[in-house]
Amino acid sequence: MKITDVQAIIVKQPEISIIGDGSQDTVVIKVFTDEGIVGIGEVDSSPYVVKAIVEAKTSHMVCMGLRDVVIGEDPFDVEKIWYKMYELCYYYGRRSVAIHAMSGIDMAIWDIMGKKLGMPVHKLLGGSFRDKIPAYCSVLMPDNEDEIKRIADTYLPQGYTGIKFGWGALGQSEKRDLELVHMCRKAMGDDPKLMIDIGMVWKDYKTAVRLCNEFEQEDVYWVEEPFKPDDLEAYKRLTHSVNMRISAGEEVGTMFEFNELIDKCGIDIIQPDISRCGGITIAKKVIDMAYLHKIPVIPHAFKTGILMSASLQVIGATPNALWLEYCCQETVLSKNLVKKHFQIDSEGFVNIPDKPGLGVEIDEDILKKYEVK
Ligand code: MG
């Protein structure tokens, strides 16, 4: 089997708001083969930059667009293809959006392999440790108590065992952050897990220590991304200074960066985003790194059903998985881009898909409706 073409299709809601909601647009990757099998993937990045990286014409031997790199390759050489992409886009690549774009192609190649063999991706990864996984509700932090209460009253009765409030109104001041976290705990009651994604707003180490200790009083389960991912020394000092679990990983890609966060910084929970980290090929290496350090893998996922399916496949194959991040932002794409979006059961679980490949089908009508040419 040979790859014959790669498409990067930009889809977006009509108006984009300047908020921390990555489900307002996306770029769908389709990888075509000479056997008629089409693999699908998704990238959480700037769709326009990703499209340019996929479609760029060859400049020289280590400066090629990803489409040119993968055409003619056998999808079952997925590991070899990953390294080929990494090497041949080296001039503009190595990190960030080039790795994001590679993630979407890699995801689609795993989808192709599963479809060809009639097996779900988790089977190709070595088998699933579970049939289902608990989901936590992931939303932006509102700026008022009524909306926080509405979210708790809406989602907890649906079965979610926890809520993560992130970005949004957080980061205005220490006092306000403490008030908001207190409102969340009050609205949720004592039992459900409460997570806070502070969204990289803390500017100094001492502030982070102080607020982590304060959040501990509200029984916050983890604090996510206290610093920018380059602030490795700050991460290292913080993880060694507080009891609070510190999570991170959604912004990083390649084994080099995950090794820094897990091994050198002592992160407590690692959150690879399968549509940014380098794809399923890198995620399976992160699973092993995390297992060595006895830390859970909870993939970051704040996009559509395509990324959710890839996350569920990886979660299935992860011995130390805890939760599925379930994006509860109600955009036109978040729950509608795939047919039969994943449902949560009354106990708060989502099934690991067992259909071939990623196990989802794009709703082509929705794709066409919101496609940007
Ligand atoms: Mg986050």
Side-chain angles (χ1 to χ4, degrees):
M1 185 162 44
K2 300 289 182 205
I3 293 171
T4 55
D5 197 8
V6 181
Q7 288 180 357
I9 303 159
I10 298 172
V11 281
K12 65 186 276 289
Q13 66 183 31
E15 295 294 329
I16 298 289
S17 301
I18 309 300
I19 56 174
D21 180 0
S23 67
Q24 300 180 89
D25 67 7
T26 194
V27 54
V28 173
I29 301 290
K30 289 188 178 180
V31 174
F32 297 83
T33 65
D34 59 358
E35 294 191 14
I37 297 174
V38 180
I40 59 170
E42 176 172 34
V43 184
D44 189 350
S45 190
S46 164
Y48 298 90
V49 182
V50 169
K51 187 175 176 67
I53 286 174
V54 170
E55 296 179 352
K57 300 299 177 193
T58 296
S59 292
H60 61 75
M61 66 179 290
V62 288
C63 193
M64 294 175 66
L66 295 181
R67 181 177 176 275
D68 281 359
V69 173
V70 302
I71 284 181
E73 293 292 336
D74 179 344
F76 282 88
D77 293 338
V78 62
E79 191 90 18
K80 191 189 90 176
I81 294 171
W82 195 96
Y83 283 94
K84 187 181 177 191
M85 287 194 286
Y86 186 69
E87 297 291 338
L88 299 193
C89 72
Y90 209 72
Y91 250 42
Y92 66 84
R94 293 183 57 241
R95 296 291 188 272
S96 194
V97 69
I99 305 299
H100 301 167
M102 285 170 55
S103 305
I105 294 176
D106 181 84
M107 195 188 293
I109 289 174
W110 281 91
D111 188 38
I112 290 170
M113 290 192 293
K115 284 171 173 168
K116 171 71 178 175
L117 295 172
M119 293 178 183
V121 167
H122 62 72
K123 188 70 99 177
L124 276 59
L125 292 170
S128 187
F129 289 84
R130 55 194 62 79
D131 298 326
K132 56 185 184 175
I133 185 84
Y136 75 81
C137 162
S138 186
V139 289
L140 300 183
M141 177 65 89
D143 62 2
N144 64 81
E145 189 162 16
D146 287 347
E147 181 60 10
I148 289 171
K149 189 165 181 334
R150 186 196 69 78
I151 289 170
D153 291 347
T154 300
Y155 292 106
L156 292 176
Q158 290 179 24
Y160 293 97
T161 49
I163 302 178
K164 182 173 82 185
F165 292 91
W167 299 58
L170 290 163
Q172 296 171 47
S173 70
E174 287 185 35
K175 180 168 174 286
R176 185 60 180 160
D177 284 353
L178 288 170
E179 287 171 357
L180 288 168
V181 172
H182 180 69
M183 289 175 202
C184 292
R185 176 50 76 200
K186 190 174 147 200
M188 292 169 66
D190 291 341
D191 287 341
K193 296 283 196 298
L194 165 62
M195 286 72 75
I196 298 297
D197 182 354
I198 203 71
M200 304 179 286
V201 295
W202 288 339
K203 298 286 187 283
D204 71 286
Y205 159 76
K206 288 289 186 187
T207 300
V209 170
R210 196 163 54 246
L211 285 176
C212 279
N213 289 335
E214 293 281 358
F215 289 179
E216 199 181 347
Q217 304 307 309
E218 302 289 352
D219 199 17
V220 170
Y221 191 77
W222 79 62
V223 168
E224 180 167 325
E225 284 202 309
F227 308 115
K228 299 268 188 310
D230 293 334
D231 295 331
L232 298 176
E233 289 303 320
Y235 269 106
K236 187 174 171 182
R237 292 176 75 196
L238 184 64
T239 58
H240 289 84
S241 305
V242 296
N243 292 324
M244 176 64 65
R245 297 174 187 86
I246 303 297
S247 73
E250 69 176 89
E251 316 286 349
V252 306
T254 75
M255 284 182 286
F256 303 104
E257 292 188 336
F258 281 102
N259 187 50
E260 285 174 334
L261 269 183
I262 294 173
D263 190 43
K264 297 182 182 165
C265 298
I267 294 297
D268 301 294
I269 293 165
I270 192 75
Q271 299 168 300
D273 185 310
I274 317 302
S275 69
R276 286 208 290 249
C277 70
I280 292 170
T281 298
I282 293 301
K284 71 187 175 77
K285 301 176 197 309
V286 175
I287 293 170
D288 294 337
M289 288 184 203
Y291 185 76
L292 281 176
H293 290 79
K294 294 293 170 282
I295 62 172
V297 179
I298 305 178
H300 173 265
F302 210 81
K303 215 64 181 167
T304 77
I306 301 174
L307 175 57
M308 189 176 282
S309 66
S311 301
L312 283 163
Q313 297 292 346
V314 167
I315 284 169
T318 302
N320 47 348
L322 271 189
W323 259 322
L324 169 73
E325 176 168 15
Y326 199 114
C327 171
C328 290
Q329 291 297 121
E330 303 281 349
T331 63
V332 292
L333 298 173
S334 61
K335 292 183 180 173
N336 299 320
L337 189 59
V338 300
K339 293 180 179 174
K340 296 183 188 161
H341 189 75
F342 298 96
Q343 298 296 314
I344 181 171
D345 70 20
S346 59
E347 293 180 330
F349 286 82
V350 174
N351 289 333
I352 307 291
D354 58 3
K355 294 203 176 91
L358 295 178
V360 285
E361 188 183 346
I362 291 175
D363 186 327
E364 294 290 339
D365 292 336
I366 295 290
L367 188 74
K368 278 196 184 67
K369 184 176 177 183
Y370 294 104
E371 181 179 357
V372 179
K373 295 278 189 184

